[in-house]
Amino acid sequence: MASAHGMDAQSETTAVASQSQTGNDHNLDNSGYCLLSLDGGGVRGLSTLYILQGIMNRLNFTREEAGLRPRKPCEIFDLIGGTSTGG
């Protein structure tokens, strides 16, 4: 049965778990796998790593503001793979 906000009990539990992981009020979908693909060679592979570094810096900044410890990519993503430089 849906609540007044249109979320069932399972969705509300998932939203609360997401808030505790990231330290913010954004609702994340934790019902599937979180995959990271780092594809590309040469400069494309390097730029992909810089983008990942920016994502992790932003995530960890938010976590530290909430009093949580920083996380590594292997603690966030269920599967990480790639090809060439990205691999």
Side-chain angles (χ1 to χ4, degrees):
M1 172 164 259
S3 69
H5 298 289
M7 294 175 66
D8 60 16
Q10 178 64 33
S11 296
E12 289 178 20
T13 302
T14 301
V16 170
S18 298
Q19 290 173 9
S20 65
Q21 287 182 4
T22 60
N24 62 28
D25 293 332
H26 297 289
N27 293 331
L28 299 176
D29 180 6
N30 289 335
S31 61
Y33 291 103
C34 187
L35 308 177
L36 174 63
S37 175
L38 303 170
D39 297 324
V43 174
R44 289 182 312 185
L46 184 59
S47 64
T48 301
L49 294 175
Y50 280 124
I51 291 169
L52 176 60
Q53 182 181 33
I55 291 169
M56 295 307 299
N57 287 341
R58 184 174 175 184
L59 172 75
N60 285 323
F61 178 78
T62 303
R63 289 181 56 82
E64 288 175 6
E65 283 185 331
L68 302 170
R69 70 175 183 82
R71 295 283 180 112
K72 300 177 202 172
C74 62
E75 296 173 311
I76 301 296
F77 298 98
D78 297 309
L79 179 66
I80 301 173
T83 61
S84 192
T85 306

